């Protein structure tokens, strides 16, 4: 029995970008938790328009709560961030106007409105060992991209991880991630 170990190194330059966008009203936004608490809000969206990598990624939704009492602030913070090991670092200030993003875990705050820039690069692939030819390395096109459901899964996973020193983007395929996010156990 012979075993062969293959090593493949992929060098990529993936970036999270903030595309130029404008804030627009988004009146159809519904926040069930805020509604249950009786907290009023206005739905807004950062609209990247044609600067978005795909049309479906143009909007980043948020909600404006305005100024809040400390009691209401505490209720929103508990409801929107209690599930996470990493809590929002936003503190209550009677004069501050708050958004939904202020109550979410730091990793969610950090990636909100960001767009993953897909990258293409040429990489040296593994040699062919299938036939008797001399080992030949060839260059191959590699596309690094992220799907939205897999990325959402990874952000939620990282938000519930006490180690916030880095975010690993190792997203699941979109079908599996969608099933996990919409399944009965989520």
């Amino acid at each position: 029995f012979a075993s062969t170990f293959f090593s493949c190194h992929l060098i990529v330059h993936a970036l999270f970008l903030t595309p130029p966008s404008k804030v627009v009203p988004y009146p159809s936004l519904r926040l069930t938790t805020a509604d249950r608490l009786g907290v009023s809000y206005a739905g807004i969206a950062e609209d990247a328009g044609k600067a978005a990598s795909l049309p479906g990624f143009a909007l980043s939704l948020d909600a404006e709560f305005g100024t809040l009492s400390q009691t209401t602030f505490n209720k929103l913070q508990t409801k929107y961030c209690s599930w996470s090991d990493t809590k929002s670092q936003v503190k209550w200030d009677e004069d501050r106007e708050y958004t939904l993003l202020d109550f979410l875990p730091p990793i969610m705050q950090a990636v909100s409105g960001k767009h993953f820039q897909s990258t293409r690069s040429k990489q040296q692939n593994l040699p062919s060992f299938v036939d008797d030819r001399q080992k030949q390395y060839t260059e191959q096109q590699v596309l690094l991209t992220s799907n939205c459901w897999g990325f959402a899964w990874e952000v939620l996973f990282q938000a519930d991880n006490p180690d916030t020193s880095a975010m690993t983007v190792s997203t699941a395929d979109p079908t599996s991630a969608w099933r996990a996010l919409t399944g009965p156990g989520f």
Side-chain angles (χ1 to χ4, degrees):
F1 177 74
S3 172
T4 307
F5 176 77
F6 294 101
S7 174
C8 179
H9 298 281
L10 182 65
I11 300 169
V12 294
H13 302 283
L15 298 174
F16 286 96
L17 304 173
T18 304
S21 61
K22 61 182 178 182
V23 176
V24 296
Y26 196 83
S28 60
L29 180 68
R30 294 293 169 259
L31 302 176
T32 305
T33 299
D35 290 340
R36 264 189 252 140
L37 293 172
V39 179
S40 61
Y41 57 89
I44 58 170
E46 285 188 38
D47 186 355
K50 295 186 188 266
S53 54
L54 295 171
F57 297 162
L59 298 180
S60 293
L61 302 181
D62 201 352
E64 295 176 329
F65 292 114
T67 58
L68 299 170
S69 70
Q70 188 167 11
T71 301
T72 302
F73 174 89
N74 291 340
K75 286 180 182 178
L76 288 171
Q77 193 170 47
T78 299
K79 292 294 184 181
Y80 283 113
C81 206
S82 62
W83 60 272
S84 173
D85 278 348
T86 57
K87 308 297 183 222
S88 172
Q89 300 300 303
V90 175
K91 304 295 182 208
W92 179 76
D93 178 334
E94 64 183 333
D95 297 322
R96 180 177 175 159
E97 294 194 1
Y98 294 94
T99 68
L100 174 62
L101 209 52
D102 293 324
F103 299 99
L104 299 179
I107 189 70
M108 297 178 91
Q109 294 171 356
V111 298
S112 178
K114 303 284 190 233
H115 290 229
F116 185 84
Q117 178 182 344
S118 298
T119 59
R120 289 189 183 275
S121 63
K122 288 188 177 187
Q123 304 293 327
Q124 198 174 65
N125 67 355
L126 294 172
S128 171
F129 291 99
V130 177
D131 55 30
D132 292 332
R133 294 181 300 165
Q134 181 180 356
K135 292 192 293 186
Q136 292 183 346
Y137 289 91
T138 59
E139 286 191 353
Q140 182 177 12
Q141 284 283 333
V142 175
L143 172 64
L144 175 65
T145 191
S146 177
N147 65 72
C148 56
W149 298 118
F151 183 73
W153 176 263
E154 190 64 31
V155 167
L156 290 172
F157 175 78
Q158 291 293 332
D160 201 28
N161 184 349
D163 177 11
T164 59
S165 60
M167 179 180 173
T168 302
V169 180
S170 55
T171 61
D173 72 275
T175 304
S176 298
W178 174 249
R179 285 185 188 140
L181 290 169
T182 60
F186 188 71

